[in-house]
Amino acid sequence: MTRTELAAILARPELSDADIVALLGLTDPEDCRMLKEAAFNRTTELMGPYVYYRGLIELSNICTANCRYCGIRKANHAVERYTMTQEEIVEQAVWAARQGYGSVCLQAGERHDEKFIEFICACLREIHVKTKSPLLPNGVGVTLSLGDQPESVYRRWAEACGNPESLRYLARFETSNPELFQMLHSTPGRNEKNLEHRLECLRSLRRAGYQVGTGVMIGIPGQTLEDLCRDIRMFQEIDVDMIGMGPYLRSEGNDLEALGQMEPKALLQLALNMIAVTRLVLGPVNIAAATALQAIRDDGREMGIEYGCNVVMPNLSPQRFRKGYQLYDNKPCLDDEPTQCASCLEKRIQSRGREVGWNMSGSSRRYLRRIGRPNEVKPAKDYTPDGRRLIRLRAI
Ligand code: 5AD
Ligand code: SF4
Ligand code: FES
């Protein structure tokens, strides 16, 4: 493809499947730069200059599922299992709210037992009560990432959350290719999950009132550019509010090691291309810069922002739990505490011409449009990550 042809594709209001595949496959540095610029500008135009924080609390690594790509799948007996206490979880959420994070994300392995479901309800109720402040009158926004569940469970959690306007759920469908999905989720003699069921979960989340987030892994062994193009079409079909996607990375404890992983440089570029093209096709949705980008290259998440991401998920888990939550190898920040990640990430975001949307709940504009709400306005005052100004405000 010539530069003129590329410029013509980037200027089109709608991309065809052939355009999408061509853009995903770009490797020449100047071509990639053009794609990046188009995606960054589109993001600014549609979403404004802010990057929203979702403080990520990896509350438990116990999982009943066996996704073959995942380092904490049930069959990996080398992992020491943990579950944070309610007190520890609430403490992290309150800390995040005080720092000015508009929302937190509770993530864990998949469990279906009543004890766990009720445990999450109790955490959500307490987080709601304890994070209300003049700046967050409905408490901190909450994103859940707790796997495939029946609609009744989604509804119980939604109710416990108490903040229906900032209620979100993240469940990646991983790949829109049913055979690839099957390969990723079947162990000998068992077929643990199927794509149709995951898509049904996403539909039931929408019915239960959630902003729906999904995503895929990029560079799965056997995946093609055409598969990734269909993933983007699937995002459109579901009419998603947010997307989180990152490179597939090998993991010592996973069950796909023998299949290898794409060469890191090419993998990173493919992931960035996928982010950019998703932005161009999907428009005003939230797109998170996955931590997995940073596992390949130190400034991988910042590159994600340059290619169209507008959300990052700083890790709020206390350092002592981090080694237990390695979905893939080389996960960054294993030796860092939440305070370090928070200030480090703000500098990283600013280095690429964006601002942290302190105290913003950060609903996607696509969602706000759907429910007929105006765009969120940033609170007049900024609150620094150490929370001092917020405390001062409370004292007044
Ligand atoms: N590489 C990249 N992403 C992974 N995930 C799980 N294992 C890996 C891996 N080895 C992602 C999946 C899942 C999310 C919680 O983490 O996409 O949905
Ligand atoms: Fe469990 Fe999630 Fe890992 Fe699958 S990806 S094994 S559901 S933690
Ligand atoms: Fe965790 Fe930099 S992002 S220390």
Side-chain angles (χ1 to χ4, degrees):
M1 182 173 26
T2 65
R3 293 269 148 71
T4 328
E5 281 163 348
L6 175 58
I9 293 180
L10 292 172
R12 271 177 210 150
E14 280 196 19
L15 298 178
S16 68
D17 287 359
D19 294 338
I20 290 177
V21 169
L23 294 177
L24 289 173
L26 294 179
T27 52
D28 174 82
E30 176 56 19
D31 289 349
C32 295
R33 196 200 56 74
M34 284 169 71
L35 174 63
K36 173 172 76 173
E37 195 177 284
F40 188 83
N41 290 342
R42 184 74 62 86
T43 309
T44 315
E45 180 193 315
L46 293 171
M47 312 300 283
Y50 299 114
V51 169
Y52 305 124
Y53 268 5
R54 312 257 182 263
L56 178 63
I57 306 175
E58 296 158 334
L59 62 94
S60 171
N61 66 354
I62 297 179
C63 188
T64 57
N66 255 319
C67 311
R68 293 180 67 196
Y69 44 84
C70 178
I72 65 167
R73 73 211 161 87
K74 181 179 157 193
N76 183 9
H77 300 296
V79 173
E80 215 178 293
R81 303 289 163 171
Y82 73 86
T83 302
M84 288 166 68
T85 63
Q86 180 169 335
E87 202 183 350
E88 285 165 337
I89 296 165
V90 173
E91 187 187 319
Q92 291 308 313
V94 168
W95 181 83
R98 290 232 173 97
Q99 302 309 303
Y101 292 33
S103 77
V104 294
C105 175
L106 304 189
Q107 189 176 75
E110 189 171 282
R111 277 176 63 178
H112 301 110
D113 54 293
E114 177 56 31
K115 189 174 160 209
F116 180 73
I117 295 164
E118 190 43 48
F119 172 70
I120 297 296
C121 286
C123 291
L124 291 172
R125 285 189 212 106
E126 197 180 340
I127 288 171
H128 178 60
V129 172
K130 292 211 170 143
T131 58
K132 283 188 189 177
S133 74
L135 277 165
L136 298 171
N138 290 319
V140 77
V142 172
T143 304
L144 299 178
S145 178
L146 302 168
D148 295 340
Q149 302 287 347
E151 187 168 333
S152 56
V153 172
Y154 293 146
R155 286 186 184 276
R156 276 172 70 185
W157 288 340
E159 201 176 309
C161 190
N163 186 359
E165 286 187 9
S166 303
L167 173 68
R168 315 184 173 102
Y169 205 101
L170 212 53
R172 294 182 176 179
F173 60 75
E174 315 296 356
T175 171
S176 60
N177 178 334
E179 279 148 38
L180 206 51
F181 189 97
Q182 220 58 21
M183 185 280 282
L184 293 175
H185 296 99
S186 1
T187 41
R190 272 194 79 173
N191 168 14
E192 300 225 354
K193 293 181 178 290
N194 74 70
L195 179 59
E196 208 20 71
H197 180 246
R198 176 69 49 82
L199 298 175
E200 185 46 42
C201 284
L202 293 171
R203 288 189 280 268
S204 63
L205 282 163
R206 169 73 43 79
R207 287 195 294 271
Y210 289 80
Q211 295 175 43
V212 175
T214 190
V216 295
M217 288 187 295
I218 300 150
I220 303 167
Q223 189 182 43
T224 63
L225 295 182
E226 285 73 20
D227 286 329
L228 291 172
C229 172
R230 277 188 290 270
D231 293 346
I232 294 177
R233 296 300 184 206
M234 184 81 86
F235 295 150
Q236 283 185 298
E237 220 175 289
I238 304 170
D239 192 14
V240 290
D241 302 303
M242 45 195 202
I243 295 167
M245 53 189 175
Y248 164 73
L249 298 167
R250 69 178 285 287
S251 154
E252 218 174 88
N254 83 7
D255 187 33
L256 295 177
E257 249 198 303
L259 299 181
Q261 175 203 299
M262 264 178 82
E263 183 275 313
K265 212 167 159 228
L267 176 57
L268 179 63
Q269 191 58 56
L270 180 60
L272 295 169
N273 291 356
M274 180 70 178
I275 290 166
V277 180
T278 301
R279 169 64 69 207
L280 295 178
V281 176
L282 268 288
V285 295
N286 281 342
I287 304 182
T291 313
L293 293 166
Q294 198 177 332
I296 306 185
R297 194 177 135 147
D298 178 60
D299 63 348
R301 279 199 271 190
E302 293 91 296
M303 294 181 87
I305 289 167
E306 292 181 303
Y307 276 80
C309 292
N310 69 320
V311 170
V312 288
M313 299 171 70
N315 195 332
L316 284 184
S317 309
Q319 190 273 335
R320 65 184 183 283
F321 294 118
R322 293 189 178 193
K323 287 204 169 53
Y325 208 87
Q326 292 187 69
L327 279 51
Y328 43 79
D329 293 350
N330 295 324
K331 195 172 171 205
C333 313
L334 287 182
D335 296 320
D336 299 302
E337 289 288 354
T339 38
Q340 285 158 303
C341 286
S343 54
C344 167
L345 272 175
E346 180 171 32
K347 287 191 208 101
R348 287 168 179 267
I349 289 164
Q350 287 171 339
S351 78
R352 307 299 157 112
R354 293 284 192 231
E355 280 302 321
V356 174
W358 293 113
N359 292 304
M360 295 174 86
S361 130
S363 291
S364 78
R365 292 191 174 176
R366 188 178 196 93
Y367 169 77
L368 294 172
R369 257 183 228 175
R370 186 179 318 111
I371 62 165
R373 286 284 166 94
N375 289 339
E376 192 182 359
V377 181
K378 187 163 183 279
K381 281 187 178 175
D382 270 347
Y383 291 86
T384 52
D386 59 12
R388 267 175 304 170
R389 288 199 222 168
L390 184 59
I391 291 161
R392 216 183 288 149
L393 178 94
R394 280 198 168 150
I396 288 168

